[in-house]
Amino acid sequence: PYTSYQRKVIKNFYNNKDLRLIQKLGELVSNLYLESNEKKRESGWKNIRKMLLDLKVHPHEVEYLTRDKNLAMISKKLSEMF
């Protein structure tokens, strides 16, 4: 019961999901560079792990990227994906 316009909007929304996730991941990495609160940093790293898995990054690679909590490694992966 959707109009053709609504179907197109819905289709575009799902087609661009990865792009939105990559953008959100980039924002999260930027925020973590500035964050000093340890609880918020830990929460941010949990979100990074989840987003990488949502972007279908292999679980072993996610573990490797997040093990040392090195934001430079995440930034490098982001530039490869984008």
Side-chain angles (χ1 to χ4, degrees):
Y2 294 111
T3 67
S4 63
Y5 173 75
Q6 289 171 321
R7 284 193 296 274
K8 185 177 172 184
V9 168
I10 292 168
K11 181 181 174 200
N12 286 339
F13 177 83
Y14 286 104
N15 286 344
N16 295 322
K17 180 182 177 196
D18 285 352
L19 190 59
R20 284 192 315 278
L21 273 175
I22 290 170
Q23 182 177 6
K24 190 169 183 168
L25 183 56
E27 292 169 6
L28 181 56
V29 168
S30 296
N31 290 340
L32 272 181
Y33 269 114
L34 304 172
E35 186 58 62
S36 59
N37 181 309
E38 194 55 41
K39 281 187 176 183
K40 287 183 180 179
R41 287 184 66 82
E42 198 54 45
S43 172
W45 278 103
K46 282 183 184 178
N47 288 335
I48 286 175
R49 285 185 205 100
K50 183 182 181 319
M51 285 182 192
L52 288 170
L53 291 170
D54 287 348
L55 287 164
K56 298 177 181 44
V57 175
H58 194 279
H60 292 300
E61 187 176 7
V62 171
E63 175 61 29
Y64 172 75
L65 290 169
T66 59
R67 177 181 29 207
D68 296 330
K69 297 184 179 173
N70 183 343
L71 288 171
M73 289 177 66
I74 303 297
S75 296
K76 184 177 180 202
K77 181 65 180 176
L78 264 172
S79 67
E80 292 171 5
M81 296 168 84
F82 205 55

